[in-house]
Amino acid sequence: MQQRIKKPKVMIDLIKVSKMYPPKVEALADISITVNKGEILFLTGMSGAGKTSLLRLLCRREKPTKGFVEVAGEDLSKLSSRKIQKMRQNIGIAHQDFKLLPNRTVAQNIAISMEVSYKTPVHIRRRTKKLLSQLGLSNKINTLAGELSRGEQQRVTIARAVANEPELILADEPTGNLDSETTGLVMDLFNECNQKGATIVIATHDESIYKNTSHRIIELSQGYMVKSDDAVWPILSGIDPSQEEHPESIGH
Amino acid sequence: MQQRIKKPKVMIDLIKVSKMYPPKVEALADISITVNKGEILFLTGMSGAGKTSLLRLLCRREKPTKGFVEVAGEDLSKLSSRKIQKMRQNIGIAHQDFKLLPNRTVAQNIAISMEVSYKTPVHIRRRTKKLLSQLGLSNKINTLAGELSRGEQQRVTIARAVANEPELILADEPTGNLDSETTGLVMDLFNECNQKGATIVIATHDESIYKNTSHRIIELSQGYMVKSDDAVWPILSGIDPSQEEHPESIGH
Amino acid sequence: MYFLFTIIKQTTRNFLLTWSSQIFTLLTVGLSVLIFSFFYLVYTNVIDGAQQLGDDLRLTVYLDEQPGKELQEEYRYKIKKFDRVDKIVFVSSKVAYDRFAEQLGDDKDILNDMPQDFLPPAIEVYPIKTLDTLVRIKQFSDYLQTLPGVLKVQYGREWVERFYSFIQLLRIIVILSGSLLILTTTFTVAHTIRLTILGRKKELELLRLLGASSTYIRLPFFLEGALQGLLGSASGIGALYLLYNWMKLRLAGTTMVNLFSFSFFEPPIILAIIILSTVLCASGSFSSTRKFLHI
Amino acid sequence: MYFLFTIIKQTTRNFLLTWSSQIFTLLTVGLSVLIFSFFYLVYTNVIDGAQQLGDDLRLTVYLDEQPGKELQEEYRYKIKKFDRVDKIVFVSSKVAYDRFAEQLGDDKDILNDMPQDFLPPAIEVYPIKTLDTLVRIKQFSDYLQTLPGVLKVQYGREWVERFYSFIQLLRIIVILSGSLLILTTTFTVAHTIRLTILGRKKELELLRLLGASSTYIRLPFFLEGALQGLLGSASGIGALYLLYNWMKLRLAGTTMVNLFSFSFFEPPIILAIIILSTVLCASGSFSSTRKFLHI
Ligand SMILES: Nc1ncnc2c1ncn2[C@@H]1O[C@H](COP(=O)(O)OP(=O)(O)OP(=O)(O)O)[C@@H](O)[C@H]1O
Ligand SMILES: Nc1ncnc2c1ncn2[C@@H]1O[C@H](COP(=O)(O)OP(=O)(O)OP(=O)(O)O)[C@@H](O)[C@H]1O
Ligand SMILES: [Mg+2]
Ligand SMILES: [Mg+2]
């Protein structure tokens, strides 16, 4: 685990991270996770387990109470405001509460994530069209986001998250409002991004999307990691997410 | 199906209802559904199929473009504004986008649905506590709704919907952000309400919650009803939702 | 029925939840009332003050001979018939002579040779200084000219015209400022209330969907608006009163206080301003919620 | 780099999306500038006007004997040394006699027996009517008294005092209104901008999470604020200009126009007002976004 080897390989490194929200809500306790570049990681756990809180730490929406959060080899607590901006342009986030702008069209909502890094209008248009057709929303391109059904909004959120071709994608409950068919479209899109090199962390409670995959699954419970196969994952083996791993189904 | 018999038995009666949104989005087309008092009805269908639109018609958030919507024997398009208020106090809605007030506490958010019908503070407090403990949120009673996790917010929405002991409960994707264990709590609550006489319509894509029930399932696709067992349901048999019905799983 | 209880609880909660907005609205109302009533005060006092400038304003009516007691009464009667006057002074030749002598000062010896009645007797008419009178001063002069035994009527014509114009100008300015201010005030307060309510759009929509009655939704806003109007206007007037006293204190040593009589509003006017603001704010707040009632 | 393009697009989109709020803000800025500049105009013109009321104001210096050419020059020099004056007129005994005769009108025959120089010669000093001079008028009178050969210095003391006080009063009122207005205007505009930005909180937070740079987020607001300040103040001044012309037109027939010289702002002042508003709005808008930068 020398710096030289680690730097290009590890995307996310959480070291003994804890997060307390103001009065005394312990959202995360003593979490250590390493995610390699090109990996897909599923984060599961009951409602309130701390999945969203963990993702928030990764994009520095919150700072950890204890421990270190490193993304792409940089300690987030030490980054300047300018560097954080640059970093966020390289992270695509599908928020659990969508954060769409209801009075902008679908196209504008997706474009916004590319505009912040000053992409050309032509590129933006092409990419938007492609994503929408992949997610089955081609006919909604000029509809206001506020007039979409919830499931359509969720897909727009996902499209916005991946639009800028980020190196890291954080998807928070990306299929909560989607039927199984549409869920398939979304997972295909994620897999495509992953093939192109993106690291993906998906927080979800939807068993169907991780049941039959070979990807790693980490389960949180009340802020603690209860199931992880961290040790099994060969940190130095690089971009090869073909580990065999059978998730246990979560309690019924 | 004479008026005299129908009135006490039928809760919802949709007669050839269509709904077009402004430019020319056909959300619902020619839907006819009858739901008896005390029934639980599952509404399924792909994202954008028109589930939410149908629920919106039932609480008169929208008016149908064509057809009639009758709830508890009253044609909604003919009700006075005062009567609609009364009617809405008797309908509990768990909105798909929650509609919580983020800067009020959980208790206040739940209380609001009882306050509009001027319930006593003592009653409100007791009911709020009971619901929260049933949904596993007792420790969040005085937390601001905006500081909850999405799944917790969803449960608060459900608590608010059933708090006023409504005769009709409309739950729109009530378990989209919940793990299977918490989903169990929610379904138990719905069943309890149903036992006390409430009619419940649940729009969902979560197979697990209707897979093993005996309740009726209606599937929508692009605004049309594609699967319904309306005819099978004995309209005159009253409050006895013990029909045997095996839902087909929706396309994968 | 927990109707009243719930409404009051709702109002209090709104106030507490949005206190920063509330304070801004309060400040807006307060400042607006302050500015407006300040102007109103200026209107009443400056025009008074300007009119005191014209105290010298008089018409001198030169007569051909000294009028007797009876004739004086007749003149008085005729003058008063034309217009209300402040004061009528009969100046005999003797008095005119004395005044002239005094004006000459040390040189008055030169008058020794003159007959004491070489100056004509006169009536000095001091008209009441309302704007109307000022407009009619020329007509007044013409009228006086027609009285029997009048040699000549003299007044500082140019000065009177200029003075009259100035007061007229002041009046136009004050009225114009007043209307502009009312416009701005109403607009600002309406806009502020509108924005504040817009910020609570979500809550209003939710209440509507929960089946809250119009009363339940709107009464708290009405009460809130009324309270804001009441507190805002009261503090505005309070601030004006402090300002007024501070100014009076500062001017205490100068001659101004002696020359002009400043006065604050009478209680009925204060009451009227406060009630008007309260009603305006309450109804503004009330009607702003209208558009949320159709969901 | 599509930097500029994106920023301009963003600004235009904001303007289009929130046009109703924008128009309200524009109106607020416009009305505020209108009110403020109206006041400023009143300040410059009314005080001018009031001073023209005092045109009669002069000090009459009675001399013991008719001064020769040289002595006149010396008087002139000494008077000017004390203070700037508008005009100095030497009135010989002869002229004084003629004036008196004219004043007596038909009765002037009675003067026939008098020597033509029975009235003393005098100097009439018309001081420049700045406020400073008015304060110093008593000192001026005292000074004139000390000049050689002066019998007596006369002026309408009570009137001058009253007049001075009135102008002083006007000045205090105008300054006070001005400060109140500036306060209210700044507050209103700041408040409006704050509320407008608060209404777009969600968008700003999102941009922050998407990694938008501070420039990307704030520049559109800055431009928007500047545009609002520019358009608002320009339309405010435009409205004032219309008002000014309308008033002038309305007063065209009356004597007022001849007596007082109304004037609109000079171009530099207009420019200053517009630039100041633009800078204020731009920086207000800019700094309102600050709190959204730390997410
Ligand atoms: N206010 C609106 N204006 C215009 N179109 C709308 C509006 N609301 C919904 N639609 C459209 O109507 C169709 C049905 O929407 P609806 O919300 O009923 O779907 P849904 O079945 O609830 O989907 P989901 O599972 O994604 O919530 C969709 O195509 C949607 O884009
Ligand atoms: N801003 C906040 N302030 C205070 N407490 C918070 C805040 N955000 C989250 N929490 C609390 O922290 C805990 C973890 O929340 P988090 O959102 O991470 O859960 P989650 O795993 O995403 O749950 P869900 O599946 O319901 O989204 C919860 O108990 C929640 O109430
Ligand atoms: Mg979450
Ligand atoms: Mg829906």
Side-chain angles (χ1 to χ4, degrees), chain A residues 40-46 51 173-180 183-184 187 202-219 227 245-252, chain B residues 175-184 205-209 211-212 252:
Chain A
I40 293 184
L41 177 75
F42 288 98
L43 212 58
T44 69
M46 273 184 63
K51 304 182 289 293
E173 208 78 80
T175 59
N177 289 276
L178 299 178
D179 56 287
S180 46
T183 300
M187 290 315 293
I202 301 175
T204 188
H205 65 262
D206 187 353
E207 271 177 66
S208 70
I209 66 172
Y210 60 78
K211 218 158 34 188
N212 299 316
T213 62
S214 56
H215 304 296
R216 195 148 55 112
I217 297 152
I218 288 178
E219 187 182 337
K227 255 186 64 62
E245 231 159 60
H246 294 287
E248 317 255 313
S249 69
I250 326 165
H252 236 296
Chain B
T175 59
N177 289 275
L178 299 178
D179 56 287
S180 46
E181 192 173 331
T182 321
T183 300
H205 66 261
D206 187 354
E207 271 177 66
S208 70
I209 65 172
K211 216 158 38 187
N212 298 315
H252 237 297

Side-chain angles (χ1 to χ4, degrees), chain A residues 140 143 146-152 155 177-179, chain B residues 21-23 25-27 45-54 56 62 96 172-173 205 220:
Chain A
K140 298 287 179 190
T143 310
E147 292 183 351
L148 295 176
S149 83
R150 272 312 265 190
E152 288 161 351
R155 281 176 277 162
N177 289 276
L178 299 178
D179 56 287
Chain B
Y21 287 108
V25 183
E26 193 174 35
M46 270 183 65
S47 169
K51 305 181 290 296
T52 303
S53 302
L54 201 152
R56 274 196 201 133
E62 300 275 1
Q96 200 172 5
D172 199 352
E173 209 76 84
H205 66 261
L220 296 179

Side-chain angles (χ1 to χ4, degrees), chain C residues 17-79:
Chain C
L17 272 174
T18 55
W19 63 269
S20 74
S21 268
Q22 303 282 357
I23 283 175
F24 270 112
T25 312
L26 214 66
L27 261 175
T28 311
V29 175
L31 274 174
S32 304
V33 169
L34 172 59
I35 292 252
F36 170 73
S37 53
F38 175 78
F39 245 81
Y40 191 64
L41 198 63
V42 165
Y43 176 77
T44 50
N45 279 300
V46 161
I47 292 214
D48 261 27
Q51 279 170 5
Q52 284 179 47
L53 269 191
D55 255 358
D56 293 335
L57 182 64
R58 64 168 174 227
L59 296 111
T60 311
V61 184
Y62 292 102
L63 302 174
D64 55 357
E65 58 187 29
Q66 186 77 24
K69 266 261 143 59
E70 254 171 60
L71 201 54
Q72 282 193 12
E73 277 316 302
E74 208 182 308
Y75 275 128
R76 238 181 246 281
Y77 171 76
K78 283 189 176 160
I79 291 171

